[in-house]
Amino acid sequence: MKKNNIQAIWLFVTPQRYEAINGIRKISIPPLLQKSFMPTSTGLPYLMPYNAKTAYFEYWTNLLYVHGHTFIGKVQKIPIDKQRFPFYLPTCISLEEFQQYWQLYKHACQQFANRRLLHSKQGVQDTFLRSCYELNFSISAMPSYIGIPVKDGTAISLFSSEWQTMLLHFSQQLGLEPYELKKHHIQNFLMHSHLEYTRQAVKAIRQYSLILKGIEQDHKLQDICEIVYAQLFAIAAIY
């Protein structure tokens, strides 16, 4: 197939629990399916399972990583008689659609913080809770700039709220803003936090730092959601 320049596309069967879903929602995607993600120009991948019972291709598009196996995505269905070849390539979601993503994501962030506060057995030794205390963050009302989705976020195993809080605490101890951190600072942060040091992890931290810088420079106090949308989809800055 490679010799004839033919690209193989694996079509997975639509999991039964997702047969009735449509629109924007949280989706649990196991590791095997994650390995079959199809890339896009925006950097947010998609999947194309097929439901043989209904004869529908089901596009899970603009998949935004939350944590573990959880993603937020837009589910669209195309009947087999409307499918084309080459297969339809999904477009990026609109700002209005991303606002639904944002609400789902921030709700997941609050759930994470609440669970951590109630169920952590480490007490003051819990790095996330300790960082919140040192930064004077309220678990029940975390700052809007904590828990922000970034490109390459899958490279960091912790929930975004956790590593971003820890990064701010780490930066504060150095007397620096996160966007002022050099590569060796980021390496020290990852090692200190027992996180894997990879190129993607460094990129994720730098992407978050750029968002913080954009928020700081935004004298119009524009909605953070719009700034994150512009960053995720590589849209020209709108702030």
Side-chain angles (χ1 to χ4, degrees), residues 52-75:
K53 292 191 298 183
T54 62
Y56 272 83
F57 288 90
E58 302 196 5
Y59 281 79
W60 301 354
T61 72
N62 295 274
L63 292 169
L64 180 64
Y65 178 67
V66 179
H67 185 243
H69 302 160
T70 303
F71 292 76
I72 297 172
K74 180 179 180 180
V75 180

Side-chain angles (χ1 to χ4, degrees), residues 127-236:
T127 308
F128 168 65
L129 296 179
R130 184 70 185 180
S131 296
C132 287
Y133 175 77
E134 296 288 346
L135 293 167
N136 199 28
F137 287 171
S138 170
I139 293 293
S140 61
M142 295 288 283
S144 57
Y145 52 83
I146 292 294
I148 288 181
V150 295
K151 287 184 179 179
D152 295 297
T154 52
I156 300 179
S157 59
L158 301 180
F159 201 99
S160 62
S161 294
E162 183 171 10
W163 70 258
Q164 289 169 12
T165 300
M166 291 161 54
L167 179 69
L168 286 179
H169 184 222
F170 177 83
S171 301
Q172 183 189 73
Q173 290 178 313
L174 293 177
L176 299 171
E177 296 294 337
Y179 51 81
E180 295 175 326
L181 297 176
K182 304 299 182 184
K183 188 174 181 180
H184 69 276
H185 292 135
I186 295 175
Q187 182 175 9
N188 288 340
F189 166 72
L190 290 169
M191 293 177 62
H192 177 74
S193 304
H194 307 291
L195 296 170
E196 187 178 1
Y197 176 71
T198 65
R199 183 170 57 88
Q200 288 76 20
V202 172
K203 286 175 64 177
I205 289 172
R206 285 183 168 160
Q207 289 289 342
Y208 176 60
S209 299
L210 287 175
I211 291 174
L212 291 181
K213 187 175 183 179
I215 294 170
E216 183 178 285
Q217 294 176 345
D218 181 17
H219 301 299
K220 297 179 182 178
L221 298 178
Q222 188 167 333
D223 190 346
I224 294 177
C225 175
E226 295 187 25
I227 297 174
V228 176
Y229 174 75
Q231 183 270 339
L232 279 174
F233 295 98
I235 297 170

Side-chain angles (χ1 to χ4, degrees), residues 5 19 34 39 46 108 138 171 195:
N5 199 27
E19 288 181 354
Q34 291 182 36
Y46 72 99
S138 170
S171 301
L195 296 170

Side-chain angles (χ1 to χ4, degrees), residues 88-108:
Y88 161 76
L89 294 177
T91 57
C92 72
I93 56 174
S94 66
L95 174 59
E96 290 71 24
E97 289 174 314
F98 184 70
Q99 288 169 346
Q100 297 179 55
Y101 274 62
W102 184 254
Q103 292 173 2
L104 289 169
Y105 194 93
K106 297 307 283 188
H107 180 66

Side-chain angles (χ1 to χ4, degrees), residues 16-76:
Q16 187 173 1
R17 66 183 183 279
Y18 291 134
E19 288 181 354
I21 72 171
N22 208 5
I24 294 171
R25 59 187 302 138
K26 286 198 298 184
I27 308 171
S28 179
I29 303 177
L32 178 61
L33 287 184
Q34 291 182 36
K35 292 180 180 179
S36 300
F37 279 166
M38 300 180 188
T40 66
S41 59
T42 65
L44 295 187
Y46 72 99
L47 274 174
M48 188 176 60
Y50 178 69
N51 190 329
K53 292 191 298 183
T54 62
Y56 272 83
F57 288 90
E58 302 196 5
Y59 281 79
W60 301 354
T61 72
N62 295 274
L63 292 169
L64 180 64
Y65 178 67
V66 179
H67 185 243
H69 302 160
T70 303
F71 292 76
I72 297 172
K74 180 179 180 180
V75 180
Q76 300 170 281

